[in-house]
Amino acid sequence: AAGVIQSPRHLIKEKRETATLKCYPIPRHDTVYWYQQGPGQDPQFLISFYEKMQSDKGSIPDRFSAQQFSDYHSELNMSSLELGDSALYFCASSSDLDTQYFGPGTRLTVL
Amino acid sequence: ELKVEQNPLFLSMQEGKNYTIYCNYSTTSDRLYWYRQDPGKSLESLFVLLSNGAVKQEGRLMASLDTKARLSTLHITAAVHDLSATYFCAVDKSGGTYKYIFGTGTRLKVLA
């Protein structure tokens, strides 16, 4: 069965640079979620989209923005990167508020 | 604000033993989920509990939900080394908000 796809899988950036993470949800899933997981931490909700509209917002810094496109893929844009942004970023998708299925994650390292 | 707590945070157990992980949440919720995460990997869905008294079992793992007590348990029977991982519970806040609040996680290590 098709799973959530994320790219890139690994990303290394310098402080103050910009990063874009991409997520391709499971086909026919209408909701996409973004989570950030620091080392040894639980995943923290950032933002979600339902049918291409932002539906909920969590602890997402103002330096970050996200959108969902007409083909349902989503991108998380991160600007003015800080050392503390180093984390695993997961995208998840679901259908009709059912179980969220998580992608493999993007490991972002900010140097 | 919805808070989700798990205990214990760390659990080291011998193979063959039984143990229970607890997940408490602070406000009403319609659904509770259990996930497994191996180091550096994604979160794998284990169970979805949708109603009071729900019980689900898969292999050596059994999950239950008591919505009145706002408590879910994940019971491990006759643990094996392959169960070593971090286990998270997550709660979907009532009202159809589209996000999970995760528990703190329980890092399980099963010793051979």
Side-chain angles (χ1 to χ4, degrees), chain A residues 34-107:
Chain A
W34 286 96
Y35 292 86
Q36 178 192 58
Q37 186 178 30
Q41 304 293 315
D42 56 288
Q44 295 292 314
F45 172 76
L46 293 177
I47 195 167
S48 62
F49 294 87
Y50 172 68
E51 285 291 347
K52 293 160 282 185
M53 299 288 290
Q54 182 182 310
S55 57
D56 210 339
K57 205 170 181 180
S59 50
I60 183 169
D62 292 340
R63 301 177 288 107
F64 294 8
S65 65
Q67 55 183 325
Q68 187 178 29
F69 295 86
S70 58
D71 64 351
Y72 289 89
H73 94 273
S74 178
E75 294 184 2
L76 177 66
N77 298 292
M78 311 159 70
S79 62
S80 303
L81 287 169
E82 302 174 355
L83 295 178
D85 295 330
S86 295
L88 262 174
Y89 290 84
F90 289 106
C91 170
S93 72
S94 74
S95 174
D96 295 332
L97 290 181
D98 202 348
T99 302
Q100 292 182 24
Y101 294 91
F102 283 75
T106 295
R107 183 175 295 279

Side-chain angles (χ1 to χ4, degrees), chain A residues 31 33 35 37 40-43 45 48 50 55-56 90 97-100 102-104 107, chain B residues 31 33 35 37 40-43 45 48 88 92 96-100 102-105 107:
Chain A
T31 311
Y33 316 76
Y35 292 86
Q37 186 178 30
Q41 304 293 315
D42 56 288
F45 172 76
S48 62
Y50 172 68
S55 57
D56 210 339
F90 289 106
L97 290 181
D98 202 348
T99 302
Q100 292 182 24
F102 283 75
R107 183 175 295 279
Chain B
R31 291 171 292 268
Y33 308 82
Y35 284 86
Q37 186 179 36
K41 303 293 186 183
S42 185
L43 292 106
S45 176
V48 181
F88 289 99
D92 186 350
T97 61
Y98 298 90
K99 66 181 179 185
Y100 287 174
F102 279 86
T104 45
R107 188 174 296 177

